[in-house]
Amino acid sequence: MIILPKNLFEDCYGRYAIAAVNVFTMEQIHGLFRAGSKANAPFLVQITPVARNYAHASMLIAMIKAASKIYPKAVYAIHLDHGNEEHALSAIASNDYQSVMIDASHEDYETNVKKTSYIVREAHRKNIFVEAELGVLSGVEDEISIAEKDARYTSPQEVHDFVGRTKCNSLAVAVGTSHGAYKFSSGQGIQFNILKEIQAKLPGFPIVLHGGSAVNKTEVARINKANGAIRADASGVAPEEIVKSIAYGVCKINIATDTRLLWARVHREFFRDSPELFDPIVPGNTYMEAYEAFMLKKFDLLKATGKVASLLKKTKL
Ligand SMILES: [Zn+2]
């Protein structure tokens, strides 16, 4: 069942966080919907422009709609991740998305305000929620690659003006997380002092953390044991930091890298351990099961498990 992000964020603020998970394949969509319906946890399905190019936008939406029928207990919304103006407008026009991100964070402040405001006006005509970004995250994800020297923390002094002028509905902030598998190569973590200042300027307003993967050391070790070559300094956000961020107004945690590492681990082990096999459904099934188990744990961590009942009661659907 589709739910509006407005309802999701009103319900979760300060209590739990919504997992926003990037999907590229059928196996990932099965794993996510199975876990969401089993855990009774609401979630966001995220599609990046690269995913739309890879699988085709229509294919992903069709698979998500099918998953909604197969797993009728799943409560979710569809979100466009890291859209530029063109992507966001295309997603808005398609009527398939309840939420879009306009990422003009690499532009100067005034251009970011201008581009975001334009997308907000177009989206709000159709009651579509808009996530914007202020500050610049480092790291590599899909077609985005930002060197650490070019990254910039979100300035708490700018957030109130930005949200007030653009009328965006949620704000992705740069407070120490980054994209990819090498989040804290230089050792920092989430900057809670900045997050606290942002919350003070925007009380009750949903904050989004990109780069929320944990980059589990055991998974990385298993990949490398099966002939992988993930660098030893691969690291993610500590689970306790994610939990702590909920009290600071973080409502949405983006997860992509962890599900990719899981894919690499399952498939590398399959090729290493079963060189005589060549059927995609064998590792495919293992991946779906591992994905489901991974998401069940993630929903628990974000305190989202079991929240569907109260959410639906509150929104009177
Ligand atoms: Zn991101």
Side-chain angles (χ1 to χ4, degrees), residues 78-133:
I78 305 178
H79 173 75
L80 173 78
D81 189 24
H82 286 293
N84 61 19
E85 287 165 294
E86 193 190 329
H87 303 132
L89 290 174
S90 153
I92 292 165
S94 74
N95 294 325
D96 289 326
Y97 294 74
Q98 289 72 51
S99 172
V100 297
M101 179 186 189
I102 167 71
D103 180 4
S105 60
H106 47 280
E107 307 273 11
D108 64 73
Y109 183 79
E110 287 301 325
T111 311
N112 191 353
V113 168
K114 204 172 129 200
K115 289 192 171 182
T116 301
S117 304
Y118 171 56
I119 295 302
V120 168
R121 277 197 301 277
E122 295 300 313
H124 284 185
R125 277 186 204 157
K126 291 187 167 183
N127 206 19
I128 295 171
F129 204 82
V130 179
E131 174 183 326
E133 180 164 330

Side-chain angles (χ1 to χ4, degrees), residues 23-26 28 48-57 59-60:
V23 295
F24 295 81
T25 70
M26 179 201 76
Q28 294 175 330
T48 60
V50 168
R52 282 156 63 94
N53 282 340
Y54 170 65
H56 198 286
M59 179 65 85
L60 286 169

Side-chain angles (χ1 to χ4, degrees), residues 33 60-70 76 78 95-96:
F33 275 75
L60 286 169
I61 294 295
M63 286 198 291
I64 292 165
K65 283 184 181 163
S68 193
K69 283 187 191 154
I70 299 165
Y76 69 97
I78 305 178
N95 294 325
D96 289 326

Side-chain angles (χ1 to χ4, degrees), residues 18-39:
I18 308 291
V21 196
N22 289 79
V23 295
F24 295 81
T25 70
M26 179 201 76
E27 289 80 4
Q28 294 175 330
I29 292 170
H30 268 295
L32 178 58
F33 275 75
R34 272 184 206 169
S37 52
K38 197 178 272 187

Side-chain angles (χ1 to χ4, degrees), residues 220-266:
V220 172
R222 284 175 74 173
I223 291 170
N224 287 344
K225 226 178 145 192
N227 289 322
I230 310 282
R231 283 183 355 227
D233 60 344
S235 65
V237 191
E240 54 276 16
E241 292 203 348
I242 292 286
V243 177
K244 194 175 159 188
S245 75
I246 295 171
Y248 291 77
V250 171
C251 288
K252 172 175 179 272
I253 310 276
N254 284 14
I255 299 157
T257 299
D258 278 345
T259 64
R260 295 172 179 183
L261 289 170
L262 201 60
W263 181 90
R265 189 265 287 171
V266 163

